[in-house]
């Protein structure tokens, strides 16, 4: 199977690559449009800041390429947020695959709720084959200060400050807010599930 | 619910895990990759690797070790020790580290925190603060505890948070290696003065100490070394104990 990780200016690509290696898959990290278009599966990772990432994607016309993809695509963390319509992080219009899904900053009402959320939280209301063999309320590893709101595309929810979408799906596009590459057994299962979609 | 994290810390010297008391008297505690994998299996939530002999010529060895760790473990890990620049951080992140930790270099050049946050995102910037009581004030010390500064711990914690640190790793030099419990007062004071997560470190000796640091000091995570390395407190037992105490942990 031909798995491609989209290379752009957002970190954690190595972690994703190593996680895939652990389940026996050798992925290619590339920003070559042809390689991305012809891949069986595309992973769109990312940690970092929304506006910088969007500018980078636009300069290289990766924005148009990503939204045109027909094969299963998995956005991770910032990658998922960039697939939404808009992010409050530096007032950034995003790719709008998950139309009308807005990414907002966590605003805790009182201490000691910390932002960003860093650590292990549960995922619930799991839908679609992406979560096959993954139990309700499994723990996954999150690192984020912004969250995607609830939507008809929501396929998993997590509670921090309020209930939000920890995974989204529309057609061939999937997004997860947590880091499957760092989420122990549950994360490994999710990556396996994605690769067998 | 977001859970409290249990973080074993592996002090690395010449590619081996070591542990001392009050930062000296080093004892060998084994192969870091093997230990890391054991902790992963046991349910550690994260790992921290501190290269306590980091020098320029040894950086390549560290990068190789980081890569080795990253290929074997499926939970996040932080690497610290002798990090002075964007280039140092790039090398570690490219080899699979999730976060880096800076300490002395941040005190010497606070702008480094801003630069790293801007270049790599706050989520991967952990600022380690070593605190010691000097003239009855919790004071920041550097160089593994050897050098006192004029910074007060709370002021420095607020500053690193404002500059873009994603987390604070607070070690009490008064408690480190003593197994008499975490420094509750200063940990609580730091946790309440910033809105980024605080990892408490130094002094863990019993399971009750972890309950205290989570309930009385509002720590978001607790870090320990020797009690885990020498299997004095197995991580699964600790987590079960904490869950029984109604502290949210990942089981």
């Amino acid at each position: 199977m031909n798995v491609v990780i989209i290379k752009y200016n957002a970190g954690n690509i190595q972690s994703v690559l190593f996680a895939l290696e652990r389940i026996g898959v050798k992925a290619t990290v590339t920003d070559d449009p042809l390689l991305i278009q012809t891949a069986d599966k595309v992973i769109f990772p990312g940690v970092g800041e929304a506006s910088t990432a969007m500018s980078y994607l636009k300069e290289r016309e990766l924005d148009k390429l990503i939204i045109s993809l027909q094969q299963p695509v998995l956005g991770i963390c910032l990658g998922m947020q960039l697939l939404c319509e808009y992010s409050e992080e530096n007032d950034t219009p995003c790719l709008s695959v998950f139309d009308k899904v807005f990414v907002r900053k966590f605003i805790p009402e009182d201490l000691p709720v910390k932002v960003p959320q860093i650590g292990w939280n549960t995922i619930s209301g799991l839908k679609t084959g992406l979560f096959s063999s993954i139990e309700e309320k499994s723990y996954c590893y999150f690192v984020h200060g912004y969250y995607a709101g609830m939507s008809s595309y929501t396929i998993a929810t997590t509670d921090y400050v309020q209930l939000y979408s920890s995974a989204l799906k529309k057609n061939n596009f999937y997004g997860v807010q947590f880091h499957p590459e760092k989420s122990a057994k549950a994360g490994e299962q999710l990556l396996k599930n994605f690769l067998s979609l | 619910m977001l859970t409290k994290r249990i973080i074993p810390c592996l002090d690395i010297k010449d590619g081996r895990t070591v542990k001392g008391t009050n930062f000296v008297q080093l004892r060998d505690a084994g192969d870091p990759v093997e230990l890391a994998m054991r902790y992963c299996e046991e349910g550690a939530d994260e790992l921290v690797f501190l290269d306590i002999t980091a020098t320029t010529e040894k950086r390549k060895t560290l990068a190789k070790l980081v890569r080795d760790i990253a290929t074997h473990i499926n939970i996040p890990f932080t690497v610290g020790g002798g990090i002075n620049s964007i280039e140092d951080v790039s090398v570690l992140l490219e080899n699979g580290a999730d976060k880096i930790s800076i300490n002395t270099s941040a005190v010497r050049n606070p702008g480094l925190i801003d630069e790293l946050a801007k270049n790599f995102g706050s989520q991967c910037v952990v600022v380690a603060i070593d605190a010691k009581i000097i003239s009855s004030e919790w004071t920041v010390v550097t160089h593994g505890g050897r050098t006192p500064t004029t910074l007060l711990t709370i002021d420095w914690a607020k500053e690193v948070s404002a500059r873009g640190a994603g987390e604070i790793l607070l070690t009490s030099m008064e408690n480190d290696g003593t197994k008499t419990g975490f420094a509750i007062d200063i940990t609580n004071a730091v946790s309440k003065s910033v809105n980024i997560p605080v990892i408490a470190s130094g002094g863990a000796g019993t399971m009750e100490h972890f309950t205290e640091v989570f309930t009385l000091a509002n720590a978001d995570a607790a870090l320990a070394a020797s009690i885990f390395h020498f299997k004095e407190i197995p991580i699964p037992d600790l987590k079960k104990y904490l869950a029984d105490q109604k502290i949210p942990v990942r089981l």
Side-chain angles (χ1 to χ4, degrees):
Chain A
M1 184 177 4
N2 181 4
V3 181
V4 153
I5 299 172
I6 298 178
K7 181 180 171 184
Y8 70 118
N9 66 334
N12 103 320
I13 285 174
Q14 279 304 325
S15 303
V16 177
L17 204 54
F18 289 141
L20 292 172
E21 273 176 29
R22 281 194 295 273
I23 57 173
V25 175
K26 192 103 183 122
T28 310
V29 179
T30 183
D31 56 4
D32 181 326
L34 191 64
L35 285 179
I36 296 172
Q37 272 165 341
T38 54
D40 298 313
K41 300 285 187 312
V42 175
I43 295 178
F44 180 39
V47 288
E49 191 275 315
S51 67
T52 318
M54 274 307 296
S55 309
Y56 185 98
L57 294 173
K58 279 184 184 165
E59 276 165 29
R60 287 155 185 81
E61 297 193 338
L62 286 167
D63 57 335
K64 293 190 188 105
L65 175 73
I66 291 168
I67 59 173
S68 73
L69 294 172
Q70 303 294 316
Q71 66 274 61
V73 177
L74 178 65
I76 298 175
C77 194
L78 180 65
M80 179 195 95
Q81 295 189 354
L82 295 178
L83 291 172
C84 296
E85 182 163 329
Y86 166 85
S87 172
E88 274 185 5
E89 190 173 19
N90 291 315
D91 193 19
T92 308
C94 299
L95 297 168
S96 222
V97 166
F98 302 128
D99 52 285
K100 300 193 178 61
V101 181
F102 300 99
V103 176
R104 304 195 187 282
K105 189 171 174 49
F106 280 128
I107 301 181
E109 283 181 9
D110 55 349
L111 286 172
V113 175
K114 309 292 177 74
V115 175
Q117 168 175 229
I118 299 184
W120 299 80
N121 202 336
T122 48
I123 51 172
S124 301
L126 308 180
K127 291 179 195 147
T128 80
L130 190 65
F131 293 103
S132 290
S133 310
I134 297 176
E135 280 178 34
E136 279 288 319
K137 299 198 173 174
S138 287
Y139 286 100
C140 290
Y141 188 80
F142 291 83
V143 182
H144 62 126
Y146 293 78
Y147 67 93
M150 298 293 288
S151 142
S152 56
Y153 305 126
T154 302
I155 55 167
T157 63
T158 294
D159 195 353
Y160 191 71
V161 185
Q162 70 274 302
L163 201 65
Y164 67 90
S165 297
S166 42
L168 294 162
K169 175 193 186 276
K170 182 186 171 189
N171 305 327
N172 56 316
F173 287 91
Y174 295 78
V176 290
Q177 181 60 64
F178 49 89
H179 289 274
E181 73 279 14
K182 289 288 161 181
S183 293
K185 293 277 179 344
E188 277 176 11
Q189 185 62 46
L190 186 136
L191 290 173
K192 283 180 194 166
N193 292 343
F194 173 69
L195 296 178
S196 53
L197 283 172
Chain B
M1 188 180 221
L2 182 66
T3 58
K4 301 289 188 183
R5 288 171 281 157
I6 299 297
I7 308 179
C9 175
L10 291 79
D11 287 347
I12 308 291
K13 184 171 185 281
D14 304 329
R16 297 285 292 176
T17 314
V18 291
K19 180 58 196 173
T21 307
N22 294 95
F23 286 24
V24 289
Q25 295 172 333
L26 301 172
R27 287 198 282 172
D28 192 279
D31 173 45
V33 180
E34 265 175 40
L35 254 184
M37 289 172 71
R38 190 186 101 202
Y39 289 144
C40 245
E41 285 300 310
E42 291 180 351
D45 297 306
E46 251 180 86
L47 299 171
V48 169
F49 297 85
L50 290 180
D51 189 354
I52 58 174
T53 55
T55 54
T56 312
E57 62 269 26
K58 283 179 181 152
R59 189 132 304 129
K60 278 184 184 159
T61 322
L62 179 64
K64 189 174 166 293
L65 176 64
V66 168
R67 196 174 188 86
D68 204 9
I69 295 160
T71 54
H72 285 92
I73 71 164
N74 57 12
I75 59 171
F77 71 99
T78 302
V79 180
I83 295 168
N84 288 301
S85 65
I86 287 184
E87 293 70 42
D88 291 345
V89 173
S90 286
V91 169
L92 296 172
L93 296 183
E94 279 163 18
N95 280 286
D98 298 288
K99 312 178 197 179
I100 56 83
S101 164
I102 52 173
N103 187 336
T104 304
S105 60
V107 173
R108 196 164 47 219
N109 171 22
L112 181 63
I113 304 167
D114 306 66
E115 277 183 59
L116 295 179
K118 185 167 164 281
N119 276 274
F120 306 106
S122 291
Q123 82 292 329
C124 75
V125 182
V126 180
V127 175
I129 302 177
D130 292 342
K132 192 177 165 73
I133 299 175
I134 299 175
S135 309
S136 70
E137 298 267 27
W138 280 100
T139 307
V140 177
V141 293
T142 60
H143 299 90
R146 294 189 301 274
T147 315
T149 71
T150 54
L151 292 165
L152 292 182
T153 303
I154 296 293
D155 296 344
W156 180 232
K158 286 181 183 165
E159 181 175 347
V160 305
S161 168
R163 285 180 179 276
E167 281 178 284
I168 289 173
L169 167 53
L170 178 70
T171 301
S172 162
M173 298 299 298
E174 305 295 337
N175 304 58
D176 190 60
T178 64
K179 299 191 181 175
T180 54
F182 293 93
I184 300 300
D185 58 343
I186 189 62
T187 306
N188 191 36
V190 168
S191 189
K192 286 191 166 163
S193 65
V194 295
N195 75 344
I196 55 173
V198 174
I199 305 163
S201 157
T206 66
M207 297 201 272
E208 290 77 7
H209 292 155
F210 287 87
T211 310
E212 286 168 14
V213 83
F214 291 135
T215 56
L216 304 176
N218 290 299
D220 300 283
L223 177 144
S226 58
I227 54 160
F228 298 139
H229 302 336
F230 300 109
K231 302 187 183 178
E232 290 159 30
I233 299 181
I235 292 170
D237 295 3
L238 172 60
K239 289 188 127 183
K240 188 177 177 306
Y241 170 83
L242 291 172
D244 290 344
Q245 307 293 309
K246 305 280 181 251
I247 292 168
V249 287
R250 177 178 71 111
L251 289 174

